[in-house]
Each structure stands twice: as structure tokens, then as C-alpha cells.
Amino acid sequence: MNDVNDGSSPQDRCPIKHATPLYGEEFERDPSQIYAHLRRNYEKVAPVMLEPGVPGWLVVDYTTLVAISRDPVTWSHDSRLWKDWAEGHVPDSSGLLPMMMWRPNLLFADGEEHIRLRRAVSESLDRIDQQRLGRDIRALANGLIDRFSASGRADLVSDYARLLPLLVFNRLFGLGDQEGYRLMAALTGIWDGADAERANADFERYMGDLIALKRREPGSDIPSWLMEHRADLSDEELLHQLVIIIGAGNEPTCNLIGNAMRLLLTDREFGADLTSSRLPVEDAIDRVLWLDTPMANYPFVYPRADVQLGEVTVPAGAAVGFGLAAANQSIVEKYGDQLAVSGNRAHVSFGAGPHRCPAQDLAHQISAIGITAVINRLGGLRLTVPAEDLSWRSSLFARALETLPVEFTAHPPLEESEPVWQTTESSSPPTTMSTNKRPRSERAAGSSLWSSLVRLVRGR
């Protein structure tokens, strides 16, 4: 590790010189060891490298994270305060920007503006028909399992966990299931930082098409409800509330299902308790959220002035990440694993304070039904590779498996299951949103949104 205990006090060290990288093979293999190391050396908040050449800080203590999340006077979610970015030290092509660049949505807002935007999102989510949602999730879960049930083999990440939440959100947005292929490709690029600028532009074009469709054909869906909400969202605000709903709701839920399946297959006691119903699925999910949270380091806040935290001083305008995994780990280390077995939901896996994720109940529901469907339908489930050979995606923000290859007892599809769209690498399914071509200027607007936001924040 780059950060060593050399006998000097933390405040005497140069943060950049001694910063611990949150990337690379060591971090991807076992980030929990990195977090434990940071707590031993810095206790509350530690200097880190977010990507090569980009310094930041990570909150690694539960109590400190909760306190910061409840102090909007000292700390802002507005990334236009991020000094390194504002001064041009972070390249526009950085893989961090799709997740950290300022957008006019509730995640990056403070005070009354945050209240207005959050109310629009929360009240729109509250209008979801829960009975219909439950039926849709079960139908989609069974339809996905039917695609591979007869073969006796599957990758529970790419064939299932990554698709189920995506299809659910497509329906909540009032779209056909075939739109999921286009959306999944963009979201994967954003979260992993791979060709992030193009992925971000693709994602925003998808959202622009969605808004145009719902302006023409409003329905009983989240985009239409946001459009009619008394918050009176502008088109730009509407787009970016949709960005945060689908981005924050889909990806963590995918990873939560995948991480839960891994624990089911690799932890004998956990697997036995879950499959025998001694441990309710809902409590099992909370155990995963304590021990292997799918959203590891997010969101980021920025101190309005220099802040003393323990023995270190965090300078004004520094990027300070919420180490959700590290904070949860600090509590589990203090009180023991039993805390995570009891169904305790005091974890911070969905954030804390006023910015706590408004879609956490939705994520729980999708995950619970999705995991239950796997347990009920895939008898004899087992890994096809040693557990230590499972690889993790390279991401500062997410803790997610690349693949989860399994075998099980083959069986025919359910007769009552509805078909789920098929995709191949060579072709994407037809899109319901592109039947009417938009004017050239409107088509260009989505792809130029990235650069225009950068110019806006930098004052150019």
C-alpha cells in the first residue's frame, strides 16, 4: 500500500504524496483491507487518489459520515465547488466526471432547491402501483430465468442481475423491454469509466428521446408524473431527475442481486439459512448491504471552508467521498457480524441524511423478488469456478462482480412465463423511441450536453 504509518502525524504529511489509490489490482481484489488500513491511519477521513493524478478524500468512519451528511452548512453536494475540476486539473475525459460532474438534479442540490427536487422525485415514486410492480418484477424474473433454465448453465450477472432491474425501470418509465439493451450499454460505461464521455452522451440522448416521447404520449409512468408535478421542472431539470432515478436505482440494484447471489454460493451458513427460509430474504439483503454494499464510495461533498476532522485538515473545495462500504465495515468491526445477521437497517448503503436514496424501498423489492425467483427455480445451484477466481469490475464507485458463472439442474421454462426480449452482440432490438426522427438541432443537443455543462461550470 502507498500509505504507510511512518511515525509522523497525519497533519504533517502531504495528502497527495501519501494518498492511497482507490484503483488498481490491490483495491479491486480486496477493498475492505484498504478501508481498514485507512481507518487505522486516519480514523475519520483519509487522503486518497480517485484516479491517477486526481486527489481526494474518503470518509471511512460511520459516525463521521452520518454527521457530515446532516451538516449542509459546512458541506455542499454542489460539485461546482470542486476546486481541482474548476481549475482544470481534472481532464474532461476523466472517468470520474459522469458520476461527479454537476447536474441540475437532487443529488447535487442543497437547501430549498434540494427539497423541491427531492419532493418531485419522491412523490412520483410514491405513485407507483405496488401490486402491479410486484407482478411485473416476478414476471420479468421468471422470463429471464426461462431464457437459460433448459441449459443448466448461466452467468447470473450478465444473464440475470444486470437485466432484471433494467427491465423493471424501463416499464416504470413507460417503455418497452427492448429499450433495455441501449440503456444497459450506456450505464455500464458510465459506472466503469470506460469511454465515459461517449457513454454519458449516449445515456443523455436516451433520456432526451424518452422525454420527447412522453411529451407526445404521456402515460401512467414516472416521466409523465414528473412532468405534471407542482415543482414545475424545466426540461433540463426533468432530464436530470430521470438520470439520477435510472442511474442510482438500476446499477446498485444489479450489483446488490449479484453480490447476494455470490454470498449465497460461497458462504455455507448464509446459503443454508436463506434457502431453508431460516433467514428471510429481506434480512439477507440487509446482511449483504452491511458486508458487501454495491455502492461503495458515493456521493461526494465539498467543504465550503477548511474543515478539521480528527488530526487532518480537509481543504475547502476538496472532493470528499462518502465511503459507504468503509463506514458500514467500521460498525461491523465494532459490534460483530451478528449485527449484519439481525436484519438491522442502520447501514448507510443507501446514504444518510437528507440525501438518502429515495428509491431504496424499490431496490429492496426488486432484489427480494429477484433473489427469491432464483432460489425457487434453480435447484442444485453451484459455482462453476472457484470462489477466489471470481473477478470484480474496475470501479471507484461500485462493488460489482464481472461474472457469476453457475450450473444447476436443467428444467423447461414455465408455461405461464411471458417472453423477454433477446439480444445479441451483432444487433440491438428495435427502439420504440426512434420511429419519428427529431430535427437535427434537437438530435445534436443531447450529444453536446456534456461539453456545455463543462463550459458552464468552468465559466467558459
Side-chain angles (χ1 to χ4, degrees):
M1 297 181 186
N2 289 1
D3 189 353
V4 296
N5 189 349
D6 57 9
S8 62
S9 63
Q11 68 266 32
D12 292 332
R13 307 174 192 169
C14 169
I16 297 178
K17 180 180 178 181
H18 294 275
T20 299
L22 300 185
Y23 51 84
E25 182 179 347
E26 184 178 11
F27 178 72
E28 293 169 17
R29 183 175 62 252
D30 191 359
S32 64
Q33 294 300 315
I34 302 290
Y35 302 144
H37 168 78
L38 293 176
R39 282 195 303 277
R40 287 193 302 269
N41 284 271
Y42 293 97
E43 186 181 357
K44 294 183 178 181
V45 61
V48 295
M49 296 299 292
L50 305 178
E51 68 179 16
V54 182
W57 298 79
L58 188 71
V59 182
V60 294
D61 172 67
Y62 181 97
T63 302
T64 304
L65 188 151
V66 172
I68 290 175
S69 71
R70 294 175 177 174
D71 182 5
V73 175
T74 305
W75 303 90
S76 173
H77 282 74
D78 189 337
S79 62
R80 290 173 294 187
L81 299 177
W82 184 12
K83 190 173 181 181
D84 284 328
W85 182 29
E87 293 181 351
H89 302 308
V90 182
D92 293 349
S93 60
S94 167
L96 300 171
L97 292 187
M99 295 292 291
M100 294 177 64
M101 65 179 289
W102 179 83
R103 303 174 191 262
N105 66 33
L106 73 165
L107 181 62
F108 297 96
D110 297 315
E112 292 299 320
E113 185 66 2
H114 173 255
I115 293 173
R116 179 178 73 90
L117 296 175
R118 184 181 177 89
R119 182 179 293 125
V121 170
S122 297
E123 292 180 359
S124 295
L125 293 176
D126 287 344
R127 295 181 65 176
I128 296 172
D129 183 329
Q130 294 300 313
Q131 289 189 340
R132 177 180 176 182
L133 174 63
R135 290 195 300 269
D136 280 350
I137 298 172
R138 281 186 286 273
L140 290 167
N142 282 318
L144 287 171
I145 292 173
D146 282 346
R147 297 172 71 196
F148 52 75
S149 63
S151 69
R153 301 177 65 90
D155 176 356
L156 287 182
V157 170
S158 62
D159 295 336
Y160 189 72
R162 294 204 62 77
L163 298 180
L164 178 58
L166 191 66
L167 292 171
V168 173
F169 274 94
N170 266 281
R171 290 198 177 184
L172 291 174
F173 279 15
L175 298 176
D177 296 339
Q178 58 266 45
E179 287 297 331
Y181 184 84
R182 176 184 174 191
L183 180 58
M184 182 177 66
L187 285 175
T188 299
I190 289 174
W191 278 83
D192 291 349
D195 200 1
E197 186 170 350
R198 185 179 69 177
N200 187 80
D202 289 345
F203 184 35
E204 288 175 340
R205 276 196 295 270
Y206 170 95
M207 289 300 176
D209 288 346
L210 170 62
I211 291 171
L213 174 65
K214 293 304 171 182
R215 290 289 187 201
R216 297 192 305 268
E217 304 172 14
S220 182
D221 51 62
I222 292 174
S224 300
W225 294 330
L226 283 171
M227 288 176 184
E228 65 186 47
H229 193 273
R230 65 183 184 278
D232 193 24
L233 302 177
S234 67
D235 281 354
E236 185 180 30
E237 288 175 335
L238 174 61
L239 184 150
H240 287 289
Q241 304 330 300
L242 293 173
V243 166
I244 196 64
I245 290 172
I246 191 66
N250 178 75
E251 184 72 16
T253 308
C254 296
N255 302 338
L256 175 56
I257 295 172
N259 293 357
M261 290 292 97
R262 182 191 72 87
L263 201 58
L264 169 68
L265 292 163
T266 59
D267 186 317
R268 181 173 299 179
E269 181 179 354
F270 177 83
D273 286 346
L274 185 56
T275 54
S276 66
S277 300
R278 289 196 299 267
L279 179 66
V281 173
E282 290 77 9
D283 289 351
I285 289 171
D286 283 307
R287 183 177 181 186
V288 176
L289 290 168
W290 274 110
L291 300 177
D292 202 10
T293 181
M295 175 73 82
N297 302 303
Y298 202 68
F300 280 73
V301 292
Y302 309 87
R304 304 177 194 275
D306 293 357
V307 177
Q308 190 74 23
L309 288 173
E311 295 184 316
V312 301
T313 300
V314 180
V320 180
F322 280 8
L324 305 180
N328 286 338
Q329 183 178 309
S330 71
I331 293 295
V332 172
E333 287 180 355
K334 184 176 181 179
Y335 294 103
D337 287 350
Q338 191 61 35
L339 175 74
V341 178
S342 64
N344 188 311
R345 290 194 175 183
H347 55 74
V348 291
S349 294
F350 291 108
H355 279 79
R356 187 174 174 85
C357 177
Q360 57 187 296
D361 290 340
L362 180 57
H364 252 279
Q365 185 175 6
I366 296 172
S367 301
I369 294 175
I371 292 167
T372 300
V374 169
I375 293 172
N376 289 342
R377 297 208 41 205
L378 302 184
L381 190 65
R382 58 198 177 275
L383 281 173
T384 61
V385 299
E388 58 271 19
D389 289 346
L390 293 172
S391 58
W392 298 87
R393 285 165 50 197
S394 176
S395 176
L396 161 67
F397 310 106
R399 177 66 171 165
L401 288 164
E402 288 187 334
T403 61
L404 190 61
V406 298
E407 292 178 337
F408 49 88
T409 304
H411 63 274
L414 297 177
E415 292 183 1
E416 68 270 22
S417 291
E418 60 183 83
V420 176
W421 54 265
Q422 305 287 326
T423 63
T424 66
E425 293 183 0
S426 59
S427 64
S428 59
T431 170
T432 59
M433 294 192 291
S434 60
T435 53
N436 296 319
K437 292 186 177 180
R438 294 179 292 156
R440 180 185 300 271
S441 59
E442 191 177 344
R443 293 199 304 270
S447 60
S448 65
L449 183 56
W450 169 277
S451 57
S452 65
L453 283 174
V454 171
R455 288 195 299 271
L456 173 64
V457 174
R458 296 266 176 88
R460 299 201 298 268

